[in-house]
C-alpha cells in the first residue's frame, strides 16, 4: 500500500489502533501446526498499516493456549509481543474476543477468511461484527488509504478481479489469499517475543459435543449419468461431439453489422467494462 | 390331479409341424405365421424364435427387424423429424398450497444460475422430498435473486417460487441491503431451510452474514445433507464433521444432483416494499486489473487467436482495448506468435472463461477440450463449416482483420462516451423472464 501522510490517523485525530487476530494453522499435507496463511497476511497488512504511523499500534491477538509453538512463528515476523487470551481448548472464543474488543475499541480488526483448524466455518468476523455492530468487509486484498476516518479498500473477487470499497472506521475485515504475502518469520525474534497472557473466563462450546469428527473421506466423483432409454440414444450420448444448441451464424452481412453483433453480446454479458 | 397339470404336458401336432416345415404347403402361412406367436415352444421344450414373423417391411421393400422394441422415434413420411420437435415436455411440478418453504439464495454470476447454484437447488428439492415423506406436507423451493437477471431456465432448474429483487439499491455489492431483504423473507416465510452455495462468488459472504444476523450456527462446506445429519468439511478441508442439520446451510459444490426430470412453476412472489438501508460499505466499482496478469485458467473473458490471424499488432491492440486476456491455439504458439503459456487446449490450459472469443481457430478436438467449460463462445472465421462454428453461440463468417477492425472502432467509440444505459439490455431480458413466469402460472392453473 502507499502510505500517505494522513494514513496513520483515525477520524478523531488519534493514532489508528489495529488488531490482527491469529489462529493456529495446519499444514495441508503434514498436518503440522504452523502460521496460518491468511492470518499471516492479516498480521502483515496490520504491520504495514502500523508502520505508516509513528507509534506501534498493532496488537496481535490470539484466544487459546499460549504454549502453542506456532504462535511464535507470528512473533518472528518482528513483533515485540503477542497477546493471548488464555482459554481452555473446548471454549468458545467468539464471546471472549468480542468482550475484549468491545473494551479496547480498536479501529480496524483483521482476521483470516477461514481458519485452518477446528470448525473453519469462517463465521468469526461476522459474529464479531454482529456483536460489536460494526461493518464486515470480506476477502480484502489491500487497504489503499485511510483518510478522515474512511478507509479505501480493495476487495479480492474471483478470477483475479478487484473491487474498490469505502467504509468508515471502525470495521472488521477478513484478509484473502490475494493480499501481500507475509514476511518471513525469524527464529531469534520469535523466541525473544513476549507472550502477554491474560486469564479469561470462558464458557465451553457445548454445541460441539454432539459432533463426530473423522479425517476427510474422499468424495465420490460425480458420474455422468446418461438417462437414455434405448441403445441408440446411449450410443449417441457416448460418441456425439459436444455441440452447442446451434448458435447464430452471420454469413452475408457487412463486417460492420457483424462487429456490432459481437459488441452487443459482449456488452450484454457484462465483460466490457 | 388337476387340470393345469395336464396343460403342462407338451403335446405335438405332427401334421401342423409338417405343414410348418413345408413352405409350399397351401396352409403353411396360416399354420406357421398367421396368428402364431414369434416364440414357440419346440418339441423338446426349448423356446424357438421364428425369424420370419418378426419385423416389418421397410419403405423400400426391404425387411427390417426392429430391435428397439418400439422405442424408436417414429419416422413420418420417410423423413427425419425436424430437430427440436421431438423434445418431450417434462412434467410440471405444481404446488398450490405449500405447507413450508425452503429458500435458496443463488450466486447468479453474470445474471445466470451457475452449476453450483443448480446443485444447491437439487439439494433443496431433496430436502423437500424428505420432509414430504416424513410429514406428508408439500413445500416449495423459493429462490431469492438479487440484481440483474438473465436466466431463462429457472423452470428446469427447480424453482417453484421466484423473488426477484432488481431495483436500483440491489445493484453492485450491497450485502447490507441484501441482508435486510433476507431478514424480511425470514419474517414472512419462516423458511424451513436456508441454502447458500458455499462459493467465492458471494454465497459464503451472504450466508455468513445472515447466519450471524439470525443467530443460527450454520454448516459450511457441507457436502452430504439430509434432514437429520449433515457431513461437512472442517479444519481447512482435512476433516469431516458429522453433525445435526441446522436451518442454515452453506453447501459445497456437487452436494446433490441438479434437477433434470421436471419443470417447475417459477411463480413470482408478490412483495411489498423492503426498507432501504443506508449502507456503511460503499461500492466504488470494479478496478481495472491488467487482464494479462490474470492466470489464463481463471480469466473471465478470453480473446483467443489461431492460424487465421494475420495482423498480430491489431490483435494485441484489440485485446487491450477489450480488456480481454489473450489466448492462442497451438498453431499460433508453434509459429512463434504467442508464448507457450497462452496456449488453450488439451496440451495447454483448460480455461473456464465466461466469454470466449475465438478468432481464426478451426476448433480441433484438442482445442475444444480446453474450452469445454466456457459459457458463451463467439467465433470469427472464414469457414462456415468448421467445428468451432458448430460449438459457438455466435459465429461471424468473414475475414478476421476486417471484422476486428470494425470491432475496434466500436470499442473506441464506446470508451469515449461516458458509461450509461448498460441496463437497457437487461430490461428486455427481465420482461422475458416475467412473461415466462406468467406462462408458467397459466399452465399451472
Ligand atoms: C497431441 C496433440 C495435442 C494438441 N494440443 C493442442 C492444444 O492444446 N491446443 C490447440 O489449440 N491445439 C492443439 N493441437 C493442435 C490441433 O490439433 C490443431 O492443429 C490446432 O488447434 C489448429 O489450430 P488453429 O485452429 O489455429 O489452426 P487451423 O486449423 O489452421 O485453423 C485456422 C482457421 O482459421 C480460419 N481462417 C483462416 N484465415 C482466416 C482469416 N483471414 N480470417 C478468419 N479466419 C481465418 C480458417 O478457416 C480455419 O478455420 C494438438 C494436436 C496434437 C496432435
Amino acid at each position: 500500500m502507499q502510505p500517505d501522510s494522513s494514513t496513520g490517523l483515525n477520524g478523531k485525530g488519534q493514532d489508528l489502533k489495529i488488531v490482527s487476530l491469529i489462529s493456529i494453522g495446519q499444514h495441508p499435507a503434514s498436518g503440522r501446526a504452523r502460521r496460518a496463511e491468511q492470518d499471516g497476511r492479516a498480521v502483515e497488512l496490520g504491520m504495514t498499516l502500523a508502520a505508516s504511523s509513528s507509534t506501534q499500534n498493532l496488537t496481535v491477538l490470539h484466544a487459546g493456549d499460549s504454549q502453542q509453538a506456532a504462535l511464535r512463528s507470528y512473533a518472528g515476523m518482528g513483533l515485540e509481543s503477542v497477546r493471548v487470551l488464555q482459554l481452555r481448548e473446548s471454549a468458545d472464543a467468539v464471546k471472549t474476543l468480542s468482550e475484549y474488543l468491545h473494551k479496547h475499541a480498536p479501529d480496524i480488526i483483521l482476521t483470516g477468511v477461514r481458519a485452518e483448524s477446528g470448525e473453519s466455518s469462517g463465521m468469526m468476523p461476522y459474529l464479531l461484527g454482529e456483536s460489536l455492530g460494526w461493518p464486515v468487509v470480506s476477502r480484502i486484498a489491500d487497504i489503499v488509504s485511510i483518510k478522515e476516518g474512511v478507509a479505501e479498500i480493495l476487495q479480492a473477487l474471483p478470477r483475479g478481479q478487484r473491487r474498490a470499497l469505502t467504509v468508515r472506521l471502525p470495521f472488521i475485515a477478513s484478509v484473502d489469499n490475494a493480499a501481500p504475502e507475509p514476511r518471513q518469520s525469524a527464529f531469534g525474534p520469535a523466541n525473544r517475543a513476549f507472550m502477554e497472557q491474560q486469564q479469561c473466563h470462558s464458557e465451553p462450546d457445548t454445541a460441539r459435543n454432539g459432533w463426530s469428527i473423522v479425517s476427510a473421506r474422499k468424495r465420490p466423483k460425480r458420474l455422468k449419468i446418461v438417462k437414455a432409454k434405448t441403445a441408440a440414444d446411449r450410443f449417441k450420448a457416448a460418441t456425439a461431439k459436444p455441440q452447442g444448441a446451434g448458435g447464430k451464424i452471420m454469413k452475408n452481412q457487412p463486417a460492420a453489422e457483424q462487429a456490432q453483433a459481437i459488441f452487443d453480446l459482449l456488452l450484454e454479458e457484462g465483460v466490457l467494462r | 390331479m388337476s387340470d393345469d397339470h395336464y396343460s403342462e404336458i407338451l403335446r405335438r401336432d405332427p401334421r401342423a409341424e409338417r405343414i410348418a416345415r413345408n413352405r409350399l404347403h397351401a396352409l403353411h402361412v396360416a399354420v406357421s405365421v398367421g396368428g402364431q406367436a414369434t416364440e414357440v415352444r419346440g418339441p423338446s421344450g426349448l423356446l424357438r424364435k421364428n425369424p420370419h414373423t418378426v419385423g416389418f417391411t421397410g419403405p423400400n421393400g426391404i425387411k427390417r427387424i426392429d430391435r428397439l422394441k418400439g422405442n424408436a422415434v417414429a419416422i413420418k413420411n420417410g423423413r427425419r423429424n425436424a430437430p427440436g420437435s421431438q423434445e418431450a415436455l417434462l412434467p410440471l411440478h405444481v404446488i398450490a398450497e405449500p405447507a413450508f418453504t425452503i429458500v435458496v439464495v443463488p450466486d447468479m454470476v453474470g445474471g445466470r444460475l451457475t452449476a453450483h447454484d443448480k446443485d444447491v437447488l437439487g439439494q433443496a428439492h431433496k430436502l423437500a422430498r424428505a420432509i414430504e415423506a416424513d410429514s406428508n406436507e408439500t413445500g416449495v423451493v423459493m429462490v431469492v435473486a438479487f440484481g440483474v437477471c438473465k436466466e431463462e431456465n429457472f423452470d428446469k432448474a427447480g424453482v417453484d417460487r421466484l423473488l426477484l429483487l432488481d431495483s436500483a439499491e440491489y445493484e453492485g455489492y450491497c450485502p447490507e441491503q441484501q441482508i435486510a431483504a433476507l431478514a424480511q423473507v425470514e419474517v414472512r416465510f419462516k423458511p424451513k431451510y436456508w441454502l447458500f452455495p458455499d462459493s467465492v462468488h458471494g454465497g459464503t459472504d451472504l450466508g455468513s452474514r445472515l447466519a450471524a444476523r439470525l443467530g443460527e450456527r450454520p454448516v459450511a462446506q457441507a457436502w452430504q445433507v439430509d434432514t437429520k445429519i449433515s457431513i461437512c468439511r472442517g479444519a481447512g478441508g482435512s476433516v469431516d464433521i458429522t453433525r445435526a442439520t441446522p436451518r442454515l446451510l452453506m453447501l459445497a459444490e456437487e452436494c446433490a444432483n441438479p434437477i433434470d426430470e421436471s419443470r417447475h412453476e417459477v411463480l413470482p412472489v408478490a412483495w411489498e416494499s423492503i426498507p432501504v438501508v443506508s449502507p456503511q460499505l460503499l461500492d466504488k466499482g470494479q478496478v481495472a486489473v491488467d487482464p494479462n496478469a490474470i492466470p489464463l485458467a481463471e480469466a473471465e473473458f478470453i480473446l483467443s487467436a489461431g492460424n487465421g490471424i494475420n495482423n498480430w499488432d491489431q490483435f494485441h491492440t484489440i485485446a487491450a482495448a477489450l480488456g480481454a486476456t489473450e489466448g492462442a491455439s497451438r498453431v499460433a504458439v508453434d509459429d512463434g506468435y504467442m508464448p507457450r503459456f497462452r496456449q488453450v487446449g488439451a496440451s495447454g490450459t483448460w480455461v473456464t472463461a465466461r466469454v470466449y472469443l475465438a478468432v481464426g481457430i478451426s476448433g480441433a478436438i484438442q482445442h475444444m477440450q480446453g474450452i469445454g467449460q466456457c459459457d458463451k463462445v463467439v467465433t470469427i472465421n472464414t469457414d462456415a463449416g468448421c467445428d468451432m462454428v458448430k460449438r459457438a453461440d455466435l459465429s461471424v463468417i468473414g475475414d478476421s482483420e476486417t471484422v476486428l477492425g470494425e470491432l475496434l472502432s466500436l470499442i473506441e467509440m464506446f470508451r469515449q462516451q461516458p458509461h450509461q444505459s448498460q441496463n437497457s439490455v437487461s430490461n428486455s431480458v427481465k420482461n422475458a423472464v416475467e412473461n415466462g413466469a406468467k406462462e408458467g402460472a397459466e399452465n399451472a392453473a
Side-chain angles (χ1 to χ4, degrees), chain A residues 66-82:
Chain A
S66 63
Q67 298 305 311
Q68 282 277 0
L71 289 182
R72 294 259 169 208
S73 59
Y74 290 98
M77 291 168 74
L79 304 171
E80 274 161 25
S81 67
V82 172

Side-chain angles (χ1 to χ4, degrees), chain A residues 219-270:
Chain A
R219 284 184 62 186
K221 218 173 161 190
R222 180 181 278 178
L223 298 175
K224 193 178 151 203
I225 301 166
V226 179
K227 289 195 173 158
K229 294 218 169 54
T230 64
D233 286 349
R234 276 194 296 277
F235 181 72
K236 220 158 70 190
T239 55
K241 278 189 201 168
Q243 277 177 3
K248 190 176 157 200
I249 299 182
M250 306 186 72
K251 206 163 182 178
N252 296 322
Q253 286 88 339
E257 207 173 301
Q258 296 177 329
Q260 184 68 44
I262 297 181
F263 181 79
D264 287 347
L265 188 136
L266 298 182
L267 204 59
E268 191 193 327
E269 288 298 320

Side-chain angles (χ1 to χ4, degrees), chain B residues 292 294-307 312 315 324-334 338-374 376-377 388 391:
Chain B
N292 283 331
I294 304 169
L296 193 57
E298 276 183 28
E300 184 176 27
F301 176 27
I302 297 178
L303 176 66
S304 202
N307 203 12
W312 285 92
F315 173 77
T325 309
E326 290 181 8
S329 80
R330 177 159 169 184
V331 174
V333 172
D334 283 353
M338 293 288 269
R340 181 61 72 196
F341 64 89
R342 294 265 164 234
Q343 181 178 327
V344 174
S347 45
T349 311
W350 292 48
V351 298
T352 56
R354 219 150 52 67
V355 181
Y356 187 80
L357 178 48
V359 187
I361 297 179
S362 60
I365 184 69
Q366 292 92 353
H367 192 86
M368 294 311 234
Q369 280 169 353
I371 62 168
Q373 289 183 52
C374 294
K376 289 268 171 197
V377 178
M388 187 57 90
R391 162 74 165 84

Side-chain angles (χ1 to χ4, degrees), chain A residues 173-192:
Chain A
S174 60
V175 181
D176 191 82
N177 281 339
E181 271 194 31
R183 62 195 73 182
Q184 239 183 339
S185 172
F187 183 73
N191 269 3
R192 282 194 294 276

